[in-house]
Amino acid sequence: MSSLSRGSLRLRLTLAFSLIFLFGGAAVLFGSVILVRNSMSYALNGAIESKYERIGTRTPGSGEPPADKEAVYEQLEADQVTKQIIIDSMQTNLLRKGGATVLCVWLVATATGWFLAGRVLRPLNTITAAAQRIAGRTLHRRIALAHPPGEVKTLADSFDSMLDRIDDAFSGQERFIANAAHELKTPIAMSRTLVEVAMRKRTAPPEIHGLGENLLEINLRHERLIESLLTLASAGHAITQPRPADLADLAQSALAATDTQDAIIVSDLRPARTVGDAILLEQVIRNLVDNAVRYNVPGGRVEIHTRSFVHEVQVMVVNTGPIIAPHEVPALFEPFRRLTDRVGSARGSGLGLSIVRAVAQAHKGDVSATPRPGGGLQVCVTLPALSVR
């Protein structure tokens, strides 16, 4: 019963209707048996008593022989036995035929209950299917349930109104991100241009060159910080147009685009096909490799592996950095949180693993990090495998 109670609503409604009808039919059957038994017993007792009252009131000269008491008692006992046989036969016959009737009607009622429960729950199934399509693809679609006014219609309309508000909120967020990207990148690009122009002047003293290099480095860091913030803001959205991608190819591209001169790179890239946004997935691998190189010991080792399983694919990056306590790992996935330095340093913005987790969850995957006993970290991103039909 506990497992059935956690099943589909249609099954639970059908089971409830079936049990109610079965118990009700059984109660009616047993009540009928009791009533018929009592009625027949009352009627037969009345007939027997009337018969023997006439026998007991016979008078001499009436033309009838006098009643023999012993014969009367024997006949009375025989009539009582006959009465009991009649009542028992009636009860057995009623239970058998009535039970068969109740069983047949119960089966018909169960099938009818299954059909009616399906008809009643059909609008809810429509709402559920529409909600799944909307959640998996786009917020622009609506349920638009064509159903007479009622509780289900009100539920669908309320869900559509909620989607309207969510769609407006996401559209406003996307517009804000686009405007913020333009407003933030433009002054930084202008300042970088001004610094480069000042450094290229022939009359610029060496101090200007040194100051310009520092300003360009700070400017570059601000550009990376803005790019990371924008990526993090947009990575949590659902992937609207997923495409097949191979993590091994993306890992090779990420290694080619990342500065790995300060570390020993060991790669084991096996085919690992998934579905998603190839640009975001490559950004995930680049962040993992960049973090593994940046937070490492001098001349350390960085390993990158891609693997494929039946229902999932993995990309794993391992480095030989400093020792990390297990309780410090969750803080690595929080924005602007790092273990060895503060926000504002030149080593990074503290958004790398936050972006990794956001992108992985947007692709219906997950990311985990495990400290290595000798120092360093093992980060593994798990994504759904590409289903081959």
Side-chain angles (χ1 to χ4, degrees), residues 329-340:
V329 172
L332 295 175
F333 292 93
E334 298 179 10
F336 303 108
R337 291 292 301 274
R338 295 190 302 274
L339 301 181
T340 57

Side-chain angles (χ1 to χ4, degrees), residues 85-129:
I85 292 174
I86 294 173
I87 293 177
D88 291 342
S89 176
M90 177 276 307
Q91 179 176 335
T92 302
N93 186 52
L94 184 59
L95 283 175
R96 288 179 179 176
K97 296 183 178 180
T101 303
V102 170
L103 181 61
C104 293
V105 177
W106 171 68
L107 294 176
V108 174
T110 301
T112 305
W114 176 263
F115 173 75
L116 293 178
R119 290 291 300 272
V120 172
L121 296 177
R122 185 177 300 172
L124 294 181
N125 295 332
T126 302
I127 295 175
T128 302

Side-chain angles (χ1 to χ4, degrees), residues 337-361:
R337 291 292 301 274
R338 295 190 302 274
L339 301 181
T340 57
D341 56 357
R342 305 266 314 164
V343 173
S345 72
R347 300 187 65 182
S349 61
L351 294 172
L353 292 181
S354 301
I355 294 175
V356 169
R357 181 173 62 180
V359 174
Q361 292 177 352

